[in-house]
Amino acid sequence: MSYGIYIGRNLTETGHAWLAGYGDEPSSHWLEIVPAADHEEGATVTVGVGPESDMPGRRTEIPQAARTARHMRVSYSYYLGVPAPITNGGLNEHGVAVRDIWSTSRDALIAMTPADQTGPNYSDLARIVMERARTAREGVDLIAALIAEHGYSDYGGNSHIIADPDEAWVVIQFSGGKGLWVAERLGADDIRASRPGYVGVVPTQPDERFLYPAHFISTAVELGWFDPASGAPFDVNAIYGDGKGRWEGMAWVEAEMRRRAEAGPITFADVCWAIQTEVLTGDTAGYGQVVPLVHPADPALRVMWHAPVGPVTAPLVPVFLGQAGVPDEYAQHRYLTTGEAHRFLDRRKEVKDPETVSHVPQGIEVSTCAVAEFKRLMHLAFQDEGLRVEAWDHFRAMEAEIAADLPRVLRSAELLIAAGEPVLAARLLTRENAAWLGRGLDDCRALAASGHARLRQRGVLNRTRRPLAPAQRW
């Protein structure tokens, strides 16, 4: 399902906006930095879903951009049959950040969806925006153009938050094969949580705040779902969505963040809390991301704070767009990767059946899998309140220490870039990130070992089929 939250710049201590969130997927997750690339004229990219997807369709080719932007993202291997690798978004070199969030459509629209649907799926849209958009508004226009020209392959409806340092947009795509979408602009004084993506009442003509295709209102009229003569407002959620309005968790976290804004500017720790609190974050949260929406002196200095699992029991650590790569421990492992259960690190049967060979390099597979280690700590902490508090306090202190050191690291890299030494800057950023991520993983192992020993010694390891976890508002 996923979750995202946007905080406008007028409400923050730092004076810039923030975009944070996590993804809910029951598969492997890995961090990657994708370099910019030039593409030959006539190049294409494969998009959509196949017949094996829960809501089937046809994979098709659409034109590739002449150049795609450098970006960093979390990828994963499975959701409802959508072809891997899949992504919910990240941050590109132009400062455009994307969060993908489920947003179900009306049952009748889902039923109308053609079995041979074509066009980009939710992950394709997130990836293409990161590859091509220079502003958040440009990201909205890209989605609109892609849906109009190629269609939209869905699994019941979806949404994205697309943000840059100046503004953000909530963009919802609807089921039904009718090319329906809507976008709402968010600004400097806004706080918006999405889970699911939500847009309420819109005017009957697009304006500076709301965008949608020309047939958006008329389609509802034709289907008998809206009568302009009634004088009733056009409530998008009621007409095209689930009709439930803003979900409880959304309303709760927005109210809490608004309260904090009124008490004093929202801090970095407050933003992190919004995706760390056990009230909202648990085992389903596959990772965490927090993006400061700024324009640094060089794109290499763009930062995305990353946690390898739900950050209720993991630290958020800054990843730099300009670093050379990510540590092997945080790259793709076979752990939870769809299809790896029937593959081997053995090529003897490769000619007869290529799918018997693992897609994960052996050199990476022999490293510790950060996701597996942090998941272990999470489920130990969910069985022991004392360990959960200990891990929370430890990692929050670690984040505060890193946040205090971050400006000096960025300034050092900036000076190297200004001196004509971008390779040395990349080396510096790569080393700092690896040290922070490595420290977090070492501390995770220590906390998990201690916690497991205590639970085992007390004879209270939960061996039932009823997992223990904090109560959540979703």
Side-chain angles (χ1 to χ4, degrees), residues 244-294:
K244 296 180 180 179
R246 294 160 69 242
W247 282 23
E248 179 187 356
M250 291 170 56
W252 177 80
V253 73
E254 285 180 3
E256 174 59 23
M257 296 306 284
R258 183 65 66 180
R259 184 192 67 77
R260 295 183 182 210
E262 291 171 353
I266 290 174
T267 66
F268 165 68
D270 291 329
V271 177
C272 294
W273 172 89
I275 65 165
Q276 290 166 335
T277 171
E278 73 278 5
V279 178
L280 305 179
T281 304
D283 183 53
T284 63
Y287 58 92
Q289 287 180 359
V290 173
V291 177
L293 296 164
V294 298

Side-chain angles (χ1 to χ4, degrees), residues 103 115 195-196 268 290 294 311 352 358 366 380 406 408 422-423 454:
S103 181
R195 183 184 169 103
F268 165 68
V290 173
V294 298
K352 183 178 179 181
S358 174
V366 298
L380 286 164
L406 181 59
R408 289 186 287 271
V423 175
R454 294 200 302 266

Side-chain angles (χ1 to χ4, degrees), residues 129-142:
V129 170
M130 287 189 294
E131 290 177 339
R132 305 182 188 183
R134 293 176 176 270
T135 66
R137 173 58 189 271
E138 190 173 316
V140 178
D141 293 340
L142 271 168

Side-chain angles (χ1 to χ4, degrees), residues 3 43 106 111 139 213 291 319:
Y3 158 49
R106 182 174 178 146
V291 177
V319 183

